[in-house]
Every structure is written in structure tokens, then in C-alpha cells.
Amino acid sequence: MDITRYFQVAGHTFSLRFPEEGTLWKFLAKQYGPFEATAAVCPQEKLLFSLGLTDVIPGGKRECVYDVPTEKGETAIRLFRLDSGWIFEIMKDSDSPVCASVITDSDFRNSRLKLESETPADVLFCVNNAAMLLFAFASAPHATLAFHASVIENGGRAYLFLGKSGTGKSTHSSLWLKHIDRSSLMNDDNPVVRLWSDGRIMAYGSPWSGKTPCYKNVSAPVGAFVQIKQAPENSICRMGVLDGYASILSSVSGLKNGRWKMADDINDSISGLLESIPCWALSCLPDREAAELCYRTITK
């Protein structure tokens, strides 16, 4: 028998429906447990998305709208447009076979996951990536952005460190944790930022945190965005609007091609961020001085 559980992230509620028997729910508990909510939190018709399992992949014409090669060991995604919805194909990297497909409707709300492997590690990998993608795509019209970033809370504010994989985001966060008093890690890979109608811009933890287990149901007002770049010496400067826009755009998930309405939604949210939140460029070494320089500058 399948059971449905509800989870809330950044004020958005979604549901997962999986068999009660087996170990899947046990594996998901550590990540999703802090975000679990009751069904009463959100009526079914207002869920951000729902995700269950299926054995069927629809046929018919597909239009590939996203297929970007990735590095070895970096998750790869292909996205296809159907007449009545979408299909995501999830792979462990560009050279790996498809390990799961997500079949969803036009607004990413009603979704099913077709697994190609039943090993526990593969199932967990696929469920996590499916839920993370659906959250990012379905929440975009609601002034919500799913970031690829590491985020530290300090002094009641959230500071998001941006950059490509391997540029030192997690390392810089660890330096704050070690050397900057009152710092705590909110999320190390996939935080969420939401712009509320009352003017608040909040960062949230999520059930997805990359290689660092950090699944905290926490939130804080965004204090700054910091683009991290490795360099032979430490320096920091305030970004202009165009550079800040480019930095944020490259760090959020979603369809960013102007052909899609989602691109307009993402652009509107980024514009709202840039009106209120400073963006900084930090060129740095992986050392204490870099963390202290960054802290002194962006928390003034």
C-alpha cells in the first residue's frame, strides 16, 4: 500500500507518495523529516507538486529543450517537452545511462517517477533529484528561487556564497564556521530564496544539501550574495547590477531561455533581489583572512 506524506519548504507544501513497505521512507527520513507537515497545512489542489511512482513512460513526440553536458560524477539532466507536459531524464553524469524519468504535467504539479534501478542508493539519488527539480520548476512562478549555493547564518542574516562547483563555496562556509563567531550552516548546496509580498526576502534550508548532510528547517532574511573566485590573494568588491544579475542567474535552477514563461518569472525574482540585496565578488585564498575580510565587509 502506498502512503502519502507532506513536506513544507519556504512556505510551499508538496507531497511524496511511495509504498509503505520497504526501506525507502526510512532512507528519506533524515533529509525530509525536519520538513514534514500535516495534510491540513495545504489542500490537495494547492500543493506545489505531488510525486509518486509509475511503470509507464508516455510515447509520442518529444522536443528536447535542455541537455547540457556535465563533468564526470556531476548529475546530468535532460528535459523534453511533450504535447501535454514534460519528461525529465536523470543520469549520474553525461556518460551514464538514464537511472530515472520524471513524467509531469505542464505546470510540474502532478508528477510520477519511473525508476530504472532498485538499488537503495540509486532510488534515493533519483527521488532526491526528482523532488529538487520539481520544487525549483514549480515554485518559479511564486517568486521563489532554488539556488546552487552554500549559505551561512550569522547575526540573524543569511549570506549565500555562489560559484561553480569546485570554486570553494563549501570551503568558505567552513572557514566562517571555524573563525567567525555565531556562524551556523543553513544549507551547503541547495538553499531556497523567496520574495514575499510584504517585502521580506528570506533564505530557507531544504531537504537537499549536496555532499554535506545539512537538512535544517530554518530561515533568515538574506543579507548578501557573494560570488566566490579562487585567487592568489584576498580581495572583495561590490558588484554592479549587471554582474550581480549574471552571478545570481547562473546560480539558480530553471528554464532561463526567454522562450519560456519560467524565464520571465526568474528574471522578475532576480530583479527584486537586486533592488534590495547587495552582491559582492570575493577573490580569495582558502584561509582565515578571507573569511574575516568577507565578514567585515558584507556585514557592515
Side-chain angles (χ1 to χ4, degrees):
M1 182 179 73
D2 287 351
I3 61 171
T4 301
R5 291 180 177 167
Y6 299 85
F7 306 91
Q8 192 170 79
V9 176
H12 299 297
T13 305
F14 61 91
S15 70
L16 302 179
R17 183 176 179 84
F18 299 129
E20 184 176 17
E21 66 275 9
T23 57
L24 179 55
W25 281 118
K26 180 181 178 180
F27 292 142
L28 294 174
K30 181 178 179 180
Q31 291 179 236
Y32 292 82
F35 302 88
E36 190 160 6
T38 65
V41 168
C42 184
Q44 185 71 26
E45 67 272 12
K46 293 186 178 180
L47 286 175
L48 184 69
F49 71 87
S50 61
L51 177 65
L53 299 178
T54 186
D55 292 324
V56 179
I57 296 179
K61 184 179 178 181
R62 297 185 181 189
E63 176 193 4
C64 185
V65 300
Y66 183 87
D67 183 11
V68 178
T70 60
E71 299 292 332
K72 188 69 176 176
E74 183 179 348
T75 303
I77 303 294
R78 284 196 293 260
L79 176 61
F80 299 88
R81 187 76 167 98
L82 307 177
D83 291 337
S84 57
W86 307 83
I87 291 181
F88 294 94
E89 291 184 343
I90 301 171
M91 298 146 287
K92 292 191 171 179
D93 56 46
S94 295
D95 296 327
S96 299
V98 174
C99 60
S101 299
V102 181
I103 303 94
T104 186
D105 56 11
S106 58
D107 55 4
F108 308 99
R109 290 189 67 242
N110 299 299
S111 308
R112 294 294 180 266
L113 181 65
K114 172 70 165 61
L115 296 167
E116 302 299 339
S117 170
E118 295 185 358
T119 66
D122 287 347
V123 171
L124 185 60
F125 171 82
C126 295
V127 170
N128 277 329
N129 278 279
M132 184 168 56
L133 284 166
L134 290 168
F135 185 94
F137 280 57
S139 67
H142 305 288
T144 304
L145 297 172
F147 272 80
H148 176 48
S150 183
V151 56
I152 286 284
E153 185 274 326
N154 183 282
R157 296 276 178 178
Y159 300 99
L160 286 86
F161 304 129
L162 314 180
K164 294 181 179 179
S165 297
T167 56
K169 301 183 298 296
S170 295
T171 297
H172 193 74
S173 284
S174 69
L175 291 168
W176 276 57
L177 295 174
K178 184 175 181 180
H179 300 298
I180 308 300
D181 290 342
R182 301 177 297 120
S183 294
S184 63
L185 185 66
M186 291 179 62
N187 187 276
D188 201 38
D189 196 51
N190 294 105
V192 175
V193 172
R194 184 171 184 181
L195 297 83
W196 292 87
S197 58
D198 60 7
R200 290 177 299 144
I201 300 177
M202 303 292 293
Y204 297 84
S206 80
W208 315 290
S209 190
K211 297 177 182 178
T212 304
C214 184
Y215 314 113
K216 298 179 181 178
N217 189 1
V218 294
S219 63
V222 176
F225 297 99
V226 183
Q227 180 77 30
I228 302 290
K229 179 182 178 182
Q230 296 178 358
E233 59 183 15
N234 299 316
S235 64
I236 189 169
C237 63
R238 179 81 176 260
M239 286 185 179
V241 171
L242 290 180
D243 286 338
Y245 173 86
S247 177
I248 294 175
L249 182 66
S250 66
S251 300
V252 300
S253 299
L255 292 174
K256 294 175 271 191
N257 185 310
R259 173 185 175 188
W260 308 106
K261 179 183 178 301
M262 189 184 301
D264 294 333
D265 296 329
I266 290 172
N267 284 329
D268 288 345
S269 294
I270 294 176
S271 296
L273 295 179
L274 293 172
E275 289 177 3
S276 304
I277 309 297
C279 297
W280 300 87
L282 176 67
S283 300
C284 63
L285 294 162
D287 61 13
R288 177 174 182 166
E289 179 188 316
E292 292 176 340
L293 172 64
C294 184
Y295 170 74
R296 288 195 309 269
T297 305
I298 70 176
T299 61
K300 287 181 179 178

